[in-house]
Amino acid sequence: KVLSRIDSILRSPRAPPLIFRPSKGPVQNYIKENGQGCGFEHLPLTIEMWADQLIALKDLHRSLRKLSLELLPWNTKDPQDNRESIRVEDLQLIVDAILEELEHKEKNSQTQSLQTLSAIVSHFQKLFDVNSLNGVYPRMNEVYTKLGEMTNAMRNLHELLELDSSAPPTVVVDTVGKLCDIINKNVTEQVQQLLGTQDIHSIINKLEEHESFFPPFQALIQDLLCLLEISNVDDILPAVQNLK
């Protein structure tokens, strides 16, 4: 009776084909002769496999619950790890809840990305004085061009001043300032040697004397050139000697 009941259940359309295999050989003939064909010789191994799968199903349920608590910390439902049996439907509910939350987060992240991009564009407009969105791209190109020119200039200055390429702009400016100080000092010394003086007040006096003397002297020379009817300053002295 037990075999007949098992046979009727496992031969139903809902039964997995894995659990029924027709007997072969002498055993099959013996069963046919006695009218008890069942083909369940391998059934203990199949039941053992199912038992392992049920245990693994419980472990999978526990792992999914841990994942659910990580992704959905507000979900405080009973994990139900101590239930006698775990159904596939229980696992499917957890997976569906996780997928729904991930889809919700993805939509929110896309919205947040649009808000972030809008904030970036607005910040760029404020930084570079762009009044409209149509002017953003031209100003970006302009900034990129200016940045390239500045980068090239800084690289050339590093090479000319024999500085390391990692030296910051402040070091470049300080070096150029020191170089200008050296040049200005040399120019001052050359002017002092030319005017024969070593202090700034003497230089000022010399320049004032030159300014007061040169215009009348220049006027005198022009008058002499006109009176002597010559055009070259070097001819003035010979022309005056001829007048004697």
Side-chain angles (χ1 to χ4, degrees), residues 228 237-244:
L228 299 173
L237 185 58
V240 170
Q241 291 177 347
N242 292 332
L243 290 176
K244 289 181 178 180

Side-chain angles (χ1 to χ4, degrees), residues 203-221:
I203 294 174
I204 294 174
N205 293 332
K206 292 285 186 180
L207 292 175
E208 289 178 349
E209 291 175 1
H210 177 273
E211 185 176 358
S212 62
F213 168 77
F214 185 76
F217 177 76
Q218 185 181 19
L220 176 62
I221 295 299

Side-chain angles (χ1 to χ4, degrees), residues 4 16 52 55 90 130 159 167 193 211:
S4 176
D52 293 338
I55 295 174
D90 299 329
V130 182
E159 294 177 358
Q193 293 176 2
E211 185 176 358

Side-chain angles (χ1 to χ4, degrees), residues 15-166:
L18 175 65
I19 64 173
F20 178 79
R21 296 176 183 172
S23 302
K24 298 181 180 180
V27 177
Q28 183 182 21
N29 294 332
Y30 172 78
I31 293 173
K32 285 184 177 180
E33 291 175 358
N34 291 275
Q36 295 179 353
C38 60
F40 302 137
E41 293 83 358
H42 67 292
L43 190 56
L45 295 177
T46 302
I47 293 175
E48 290 179 2
M49 181 191 70
W50 284 0
D52 293 338
Q53 292 296 312
L54 289 175
I55 295 174
L57 193 66
K58 191 172 183 180
D59 293 338
L60 177 60
H61 180 264
R62 187 180 298 108
S63 299
L64 285 176
R65 282 298 306 170
K66 290 181 180 179
L67 178 62
S68 176
L69 291 176
E70 288 291 333
L71 297 176
L72 314 173
W74 55 86
N75 190 350
T76 58
K77 292 182 180 179
D78 183 10
Q80 298 180 343
D81 287 340
N82 297 323
R83 276 177 40 168
E84 289 297 330
S85 61
I86 300 298
R87 301 176 302 173
V88 175
E89 290 83 350
D90 299 329
L91 306 181
Q92 189 64 49
L93 286 175
I94 298 175
V95 172
D96 290 343
I98 293 174
L99 290 176
E100 183 178 357
E101 177 62 21
L102 291 177
E103 291 176 358
H104 181 68
K105 284 185 176 181
E106 183 177 358
K107 291 180 181 179
N108 288 343
S109 64
Q110 291 177 354
T111 304
Q112 186 176 3
S113 297
L114 293 176
Q115 293 175 350
T116 302
L117 290 175
S118 177
I120 291 173
V121 173
S122 299
H123 189 60
F124 181 88
Q125 289 182 267
K126 292 179 181 178
L127 287 177
F128 298 100
D129 193 23
V130 182
N131 296 325
S132 65
L133 291 176
N134 293 332
V136 170
Y137 282 111
R139 186 56 58 88
M140 282 184 175
N141 294 333
E142 181 182 351
V143 171
Y144 178 79
T145 301
K146 295 295 183 182
L147 178 61
E149 293 175 355
M150 185 192 70
T151 302
N152 292 333
M154 291 297 296
R155 182 170 57 250
N156 293 334
L157 285 173
H158 279 91
E159 294 177 358
L160 291 173
L161 300 174
E162 297 181 354
L163 296 173
D164 187 81
S165 59
S166 60

Side-chain angles (χ1 to χ4, degrees), residues 149-213:
E149 293 175 355
M150 185 192 70
T151 302
N152 292 333
M154 291 297 296
R155 182 170 57 250
N156 293 334
L157 285 173
H158 279 91
E159 294 177 358
L160 291 173
L161 300 174
E162 297 181 354
L163 296 173
D164 187 81
S165 59
S166 60
T170 53
V171 175
V172 176
V173 174
D174 291 341
T175 305
V176 172
K178 292 177 181 178
L179 184 60
C180 291
D181 291 339
I182 294 173
I183 294 174
N184 292 333
K185 183 178 180 181
N186 291 337
V187 170
T188 302
E189 291 177 353
Q190 292 175 2
V191 172
Q192 289 175 350
Q193 293 176 2
L194 178 64
L195 298 177
T197 182
Q198 298 297 322
D199 60 89
I200 189 64
H201 296 291
S202 298
I203 294 174
I204 294 174
N205 293 332
K206 292 285 186 180
L207 292 175
E208 289 178 349
E209 291 175 1
H210 177 273
E211 185 176 358
S212 62
F213 168 77

